[in-house]
Amino acid sequence: MNVIDPDFAEARPAVLMAAALHLLSCSAAHGMSSAKARALVQHLTTLAGRPDTDPLLARACDELADVWNRLGDELDAQKREEAARRNAQSERDSGRVVLH
């Protein structure tokens, strides 16, 4: 799916898992963003692709990476739609004269 970052490939599996759990906890506490989703996908993909990862964990990480990748795409699409709505509203408002 994704190319494994060489720096991530050098990280111990426990460090990658701890980072993934941290990202999940931050998302639950403060809300998800596409940047957090992408970072989580990178951690999960790296874990899934390592030869020293247990096969069951690797499969779970691979499947979860797919889910979080789709979520990141959805969050990006929402962001684009909101920006387009704001721009359209701004253009409509710029033609109005407001008297105070």
Side-chain angles (χ1 to χ4, degrees):
M1 183 166 84
N2 292 336
V3 176
I4 296 176
D5 184 305
D7 292 332
F8 275 65
E10 296 297 319
R12 294 186 337 261
V15 172
L16 294 168
M17 183 58 76
L21 291 171
H22 176 77
L23 285 165
L24 288 170
S25 297
C26 285
S27 298
H30 306 290
M32 179 47 69
S33 69
S34 61
K36 288 179 197 170
R38 301 291 176 222
L40 185 55
V41 167
Q42 190 172 21
H43 286 81
L44 293 170
T45 300
T46 301
L47 270 169
R50 291 179 58 112
D52 58 345
T53 299
D54 180 87
L56 182 59
L57 178 59
R59 188 170 129 204
C61 288
D62 195 40
E63 291 173 4
L64 288 169
D66 288 341
V67 170
W68 285 96
N69 194 43
R70 283 192 304 273
L71 179 59
D73 289 345
E74 290 172 11
L75 290 167
D76 285 338
Q78 287 175 357
K79 219 188 284 187
R80 286 190 300 272
E81 290 170 9
E82 289 170 8
R85 276 195 298 274
R86 282 193 305 273
N87 288 342
Q89 185 63 45
S90 178
E91 288 175 9
R92 285 191 297 272
D93 291 346
S94 67
R96 296 182 188 162
V97 175
V98 178
L99 300 174
H100 294 272

